């Protein structure tokens, strides 16, 4: 069999990448140096030389990023030019080091459908007119490195962390000298104002890079996601070329002599989606970014893609699918009827067991039903713990107790096909009430290595359920009679970034949410503020009520679950002298909250910590409920 010439393969891969960028975003990998340092490589080493001396180490890092979902991996050659290598007496090894770097990345990528980018950084010296290195010397050095990378099999060039446009220009010219067809991604590094280190603004450097013939323009390193997003939005106004963004994981902080990057994977993932919304087509990370960050960013990009597919409106040339009329809210369930009539409703949360014995949960449901509770709220493996299917428990509670269940449905464990199958099955078995939530990431639980799916988030999930109620599947195809779900969502009045919480709440309502259940309320001022801010998109709000059982429980709620617990509440719990006294104080606080929210909200969800359903009933007595014999 005749081998295809390398130039043909390069042309095909290049065309594939540029065509892909016109359709959707591509995820790049994260930091190489951060991982090498974490694995014990001292910073005075030449990291690029490790391609030759420790190839398994470099290959292993590439594999970590590939397994995390990266679609572009960069070679370990950022400092592989003759000027930087000369500091380690390795200037004569430019070809060997860069060729090896390209081959290692290519070998790692052979089992994955991904692209290999040749990483090219600044020379590390000043060039004219600010330094003694001439343009021609700089161009020659870049040409030597780039030739070795292309010989080694890279699919594109990633020129990155350039603070001076004239130096970047020489790298671009060198790339075109070596191969005029290879895609070139040109990254500048910026300060917090969005300007290059030479003072060039996004409005200046963006058109110049386009004029110089690059294929993608971007920023990397230097700053965290916030400042980079501001710069990208300014760049978007100056070019129609694809954009790239690879921020650091925040600004570094010195901790015990080491620079530590503190942005969490979830935070980086939230900005990955914002970058894509701003027009970015290559998203990745720089210093401080690890495979964990890339894994969560991958999930976030999947969410965006799935949501776009779910919410996309038919074009003018498409026939609009037939839909069925959505059944009125009051006719879908008893819970829906109460919501529609404006009556105050009550729910009690019952957590599924860790095994198959459901006697305690069934008896608990009977107990709370006897005091007039309207429904049983059944969470889905809260805090990513492995528990019995909440859908199965909901069905059994409805069948054996005769009280409606409110099924938490999360996006963590299911792709969009599994979501549809589950929901249709739930509808067929008589489950009518849902709370659509994104779900806790697996790393919060006992199985941190479990894989999360997150094809959609809560907003996309609400869109799916709303479409099912209209008689349409995920693809917009008719399914016959629509489902009759009452669609609930979660809300957290105590989040520090309330602007983001309100924005997401607006999206949930637009998607079809019909009521919301809040996180536990301990600060009435925050709830009042939240309710004021959602007046323009108000749906019935059910306030979460949690009877605390100890001061440790209160501290856990505040510090680990991000629930707003005022110091006054902590002090009241700490003042209790005995465990029984602490539980009594927790119930007293919960009663106070329940009485207060009755005037603000349309319902209350009472939790039963550690399966103590009697505590939930103790709280409900604040509404004048008579207490039956305890189970």
């Amino acid at each position: 069999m005749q081998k295809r010439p390398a130039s043909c393969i390069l042309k095909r891969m290049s065309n594939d990448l540029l065509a892909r960028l016109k359709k959707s975003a591509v995820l790049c990998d994260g930091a190489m140096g951060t991982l090498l340092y974490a694995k014990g490589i001292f910073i005075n080493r030449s990291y690029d030389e490790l391609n030759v001396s420790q190839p398994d180490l470099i290959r292993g890092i590439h594999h970590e990023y590939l397994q995390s979902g990266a679609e572009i991996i960069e070679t370990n050659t950022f400092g592989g030019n003759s000027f930087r290598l000369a500091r380690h007496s390795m200037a004569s090894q430019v070809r060997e080091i860069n060729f090896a770097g390209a081959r290692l990345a290519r070998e790692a990528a052979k089992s994955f459908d991904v692209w290999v980018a040749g990483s090219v950084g600044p020379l590390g010296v000043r060039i004219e007119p600010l330094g003694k290195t001439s343009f021609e010397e700089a161009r020659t050095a870049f040409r030597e490195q780039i030739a070795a990378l292309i010989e080694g099999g890279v699919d594109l060039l990633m020129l990155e962390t350039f603070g001076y446009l004239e130096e970047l220009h020489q790298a671009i010219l060198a790339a075109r000298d070596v191969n005029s067809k290879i895609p070139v991604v040109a990254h500048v590094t910026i300060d917090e104002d969005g300007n290059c280190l030479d003072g060039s603004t996004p409005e200046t450097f963006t058109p110049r890079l386009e004029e110089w013939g690059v294929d993608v323009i971007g920023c990397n390193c230097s700053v965290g996601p916030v400042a980079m997003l501001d710069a990208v939005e300014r760049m978007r106004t100056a070019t129609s070329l694809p954009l790239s963004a690879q921020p650091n994981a925040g600004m570094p902080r010195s901790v015990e002599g080491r620079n530590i990057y503190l942005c969490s994977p979830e935070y980086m993932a939230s900005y990955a989606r914002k970058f894509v919304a701003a027009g970015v087509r290559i998203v990745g990370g720089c210093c401080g970014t690890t495979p964990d960050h890339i894994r969560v960013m991958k999930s976030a990009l999947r969410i965006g893609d799935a949501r776009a597919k779910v919410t996309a409106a038919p074009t003018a040339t498409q026939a609009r699918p037939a839909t069925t009329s959505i059944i009125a809210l009051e006719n879908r369930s008893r819970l829906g009827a109460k919501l529609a009539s404006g009556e105050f409703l009550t729910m009690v949360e019952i957590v599924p067991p860790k095994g198959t014995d459901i006697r305690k949960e069934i008896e608990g449901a009977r107990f709370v039903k006897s005091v007039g509770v309207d429904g049983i709220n059944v969470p889905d493996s809260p805090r990513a713990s492995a528990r019995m299917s909440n859908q199965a428990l909901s069905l059994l509670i409805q069948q054996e107790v005769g009280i409606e269940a409110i099924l938490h449905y999360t996006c963590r464990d299911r792709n969009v096909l599994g979501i549809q199958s589950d929901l249709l099955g739930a509808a067929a078995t008589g489950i009518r009430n849902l709370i659509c939530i994104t779900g806790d990431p697996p790393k919060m639980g006992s199985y941190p290595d479990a894989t999360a799916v997150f094809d959609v988030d809560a907003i996309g999930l609400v869109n799916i359920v709303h479409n099912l109620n209209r008689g349409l599947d995920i693809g917009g195809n008719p399914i016959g009679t629509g489902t009759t779900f009452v669609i609930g969502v979660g809300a957290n009045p105590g989040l520090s970034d309330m602007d983001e919480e309100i924005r997401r709440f607006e999206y949930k309502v637009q998607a079809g949410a019909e009521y919301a259940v809040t996180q536990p309320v301990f600060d009435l001022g925050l709830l009042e503020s939240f309710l004021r801010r959602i007046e323009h998109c108000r749906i019935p709000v059910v306030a979460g009520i949690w009877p605390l059982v100890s001061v440790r429980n209160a501290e856990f709620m505040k510090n680990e679950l991000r629930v707003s617990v005022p110091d006054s509440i902590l002090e009241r719990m700490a003042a209790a002298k005995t465990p029984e006294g602490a539980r009594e104080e927790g119930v007293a606080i919960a009663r106070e909250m329940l009485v207060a929210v009755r005037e603000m909200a349309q319902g209350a969800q009472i939790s039963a910590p550690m399966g103590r359903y009697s505590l939930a009933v103790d709280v409900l007595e604040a509404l004048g409920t008579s207490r039956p014999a305890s189970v």
Side-chain angles (χ1 to χ4, degrees):
M1 181 176 176
Q2 188 175 6
K3 288 187 68 176
R4 186 178 300 176
S7 59
C8 294
I9 297 174
L10 174 61
K11 183 176 180 181
R12 175 181 60 79
M13 291 296 290
S14 302
N15 290 341
D16 286 350
L17 174 63
L18 297 178
R20 165 69 184 278
L21 295 181
K22 293 178 180 178
K23 299 177 181 178
S24 62
V26 176
L27 182 64
C28 195
D29 59 8
M32 174 65 72
T34 296
L35 267 64
L36 289 172
Y37 184 61
K39 294 177 186 293
I41 305 299
F42 293 119
I43 58 175
N44 60 352
R45 288 282 304 272
S46 168
Y47 281 8
D48 310 89
E49 186 275 338
L50 297 171
N51 296 331
V52 177
S53 62
Q54 297 189 47
D56 289 342
L57 175 63
I58 304 303
R59 191 184 293 111
I61 291 175
H62 287 319
H63 271 293
E64 287 183 53
Y65 280 118
L66 288 166
Q67 290 166 355
S68 296
E71 297 169 279
I72 297 175
I73 57 170
E74 293 186 51
T75 57
N76 176 42
T77 55
F78 174 79
N81 61 72
S82 58
F83 288 90
R84 288 185 182 272
L85 291 175
R87 300 171 186 173
H88 303 278
S89 302
M90 299 176 185
S92 63
Q93 296 176 252
V94 171
R95 181 191 174 278
E96 179 186 13
I97 288 171
N98 284 276
F99 182 83
R103 296 313 302 168
L104 286 172
R106 174 59 55 202
E107 290 165 15
K110 65 184 178 182
S111 299
F112 299 81
D113 186 18
V114 299
W115 292 274
V116 172
S119 174
V120 177
L123 299 176
V125 296
R126 291 286 181 90
I127 68 171
E128 63 175 305
L130 301 177
K132 61 182 181 180
T133 303
S134 69
F135 287 156
E136 185 54 40
E137 288 174 315
R139 188 169 171 179
T140 298
F142 285 126
R143 191 186 296 121
E144 180 184 22
Q145 180 183 10
I146 290 168
L149 290 169
I150 292 177
E151 181 184 2
V154 301
D155 304 308
L156 66 147
L157 294 172
M158 197 79 78
L159 312 180
E160 49 187 355
T161 325
F162 283 81
Y164 298 87
L165 291 187
E166 288 300 334
E167 184 179 15
L168 180 53
H169 190 197
Q170 297 309 310
I172 294 167
L173 291 172
R176 295 310 183 205
D177 289 344
V178 177
N179 187 308
S180 61
K181 301 298 182 183
I182 191 167
V184 174
V185 180
H187 282 134
V188 297
T189 187
I190 57 174
D191 60 23
E192 291 186 344
D193 294 324
N195 301 327
C196 274
L197 303 186
D198 63 7
S200 302
T201 66
E203 293 79 9
T204 301
F205 66 68
T206 302
R208 290 188 71 183
L209 290 172
E210 181 172 359
E211 177 186 341
W212 292 338
V214 302
D215 299 283
V216 181
I217 301 173
C219 303
N220 81 296
C221 199
S222 56
V223 294
V226 173
M228 192 166 289
L229 179 59
D230 291 339
V232 163
E233 290 171 340
R234 293 166 63 188
M235 292 164 62
R236 179 76 288 165
T237 66
T239 184
S240 59
L241 287 179
L243 300 179
S244 175
Q246 297 184 30
N248 289 344
M251 301 299 290
R253 296 186 184 180
S254 180
V255 179
E256 296 181 354
R258 296 180 61 183
N259 280 339
I260 303 296
Y261 294 84
L262 300 178
C263 284
S264 69
E266 289 75 18
Y267 182 81
M268 291 287 284
S270 71
Y271 269 86
R273 290 168 59 183
K274 293 175 183 178
F275 282 127
V276 172
V280 170
R281 284 295 172 263
I282 296 179
V283 184
C286 204
C287 301
T289 313
T290 68
D292 288 337
H293 291 84
I294 298 303
R295 184 178 296 109
V296 182
M297 290 166 72
K298 179 70 171 180
S299 295
L301 295 181
R302 282 177 179 161
I303 289 169
D305 288 343
R307 184 192 302 165
K309 294 174 184 177
V310 170
T311 61
T315 64
T317 57
Q318 290 175 319
R320 187 175 293 274
T323 62
T324 59
S325 298
I326 293 181
I327 295 175
L329 180 61
E330 61 267 23
N331 295 327
R332 288 183 236 159
S333 71
R334 293 191 293 274
L335 181 77
K338 277 212 161 187
L339 289 169
S341 67
E343 295 180 66
F344 191 86
L345 59 89
T346 54
M347 313 171 183
V348 170
E349 182 178 79
I350 292 184
V351 178
K354 292 185 176 180
T356 59
D357 185 352
I358 61 169
R359 287 175 294 180
K360 179 180 179 181
E361 288 70 29
I362 293 297
E363 288 306 308
R366 289 197 177 102
F367 179 44
V368 299
K369 180 189 176 186
S370 69
V371 300
V373 168
D374 296 301
I376 303 298
N377 194 328
V378 188
D380 182 6
S381 296
R383 293 187 290 283
S385 59
R387 293 179 177 271
M388 177 182 177
S389 160
N390 68 328
Q391 187 164 324
L393 180 60
S394 296
L395 179 60
L396 291 168
I397 285 173
Q398 291 194 161
Q399 290 176 340
E400 297 190 24
V401 181
I403 186 172
E404 284 190 345
I406 301 99
L407 175 72
H408 278 217
Y409 196 87
T410 71
C411 309
R412 177 188 57 233
D413 308 316
R414 308 162 178 92
N415 61 23
V416 290
L417 296 177
I419 287 172
Q420 177 174 262
S421 297
D422 277 354
L423 292 173
L424 291 174
T429 56
I431 293 173
R432 296 288 179 264
N433 308 302
L434 298 179
I435 298 180
C436 300
I437 56 178
T438 301
D440 296 321
K443 72 173 189 173
M444 290 183 64
S446 304
Y447 305 97
D449 295 327
T451 302
V453 181
F454 291 124
D455 265 6
V456 293
D457 65 358
I459 299 167
L461 178 57
V462 171
N463 272 299
I464 292 174
V465 180
H466 182 65
N467 273 347
L468 290 176
N469 278 355
R470 297 167 59 220
L472 299 175
D473 69 7
I474 289 171
N477 303 303
I479 60 172
T481 303
T483 54
T484 56
F485 290 118
V486 177
I487 307 173
V489 293
N492 189 350
L495 277 184
S496 56
D497 188 355
M498 188 47 57
D499 289 340
E500 176 69 6
E501 180 70 2
I502 297 299
R503 185 184 68 84
R504 286 184 57 79
F505 190 84
E506 291 169 343
Y507 283 145
K508 291 173 184 178
V509 174
Q510 291 171 13
E514 294 166 312
Y515 73 102
V517 179
T518 76
Q519 287 276 59
V521 174
F522 296 99
D523 188 330
L524 294 172
L526 288 178
L527 179 61
E528 290 173 341
S529 175
F530 175 76
L531 294 175
R532 282 195 302 270
R533 294 194 60 179
I534 64 168
E535 278 300 328
H536 64 290
C537 58
R538 183 69 179 265
I539 54 177
V541 172
V542 177
I545 304 293
W546 184 288
L548 296 166
V549 295
S550 66
V551 67
R552 286 187 179 180
N553 183 207
E555 291 170 342
F556 174 78
M557 299 287 288
K558 179 175 183 176
N559 297 305
E560 300 189 37
L561 297 187
R562 296 191 302 170
V563 174
S564 180
V565 182
D567 290 342
S568 59
I569 300 293
L570 290 170
E571 290 167 2
R572 288 177 62 177
M573 294 303 298
K577 303 302 182 184
T578 64
E580 294 76 14
R583 287 193 291 272
E584 290 174 1
E585 188 64 28
V587 168
I589 293 169
R591 286 177 174 174
E592 294 167 15
M593 296 298 113
L594 179 56
V595 170
V597 302
R598 186 167 191 175
E599 303 303 317
M600 303 184 224
Q602 197 178 322
Q605 173 193 281
I606 319 297
S607 295
M610 295 173 283
R612 294 171 174 167
Y613 306 113
S614 60
L615 292 181
V617 174
D618 286 344
V619 174
L620 285 166
E621 287 181 348
L623 298 179
T625 305
S626 60
R627 180 185 177 89
S630 178
V631 293

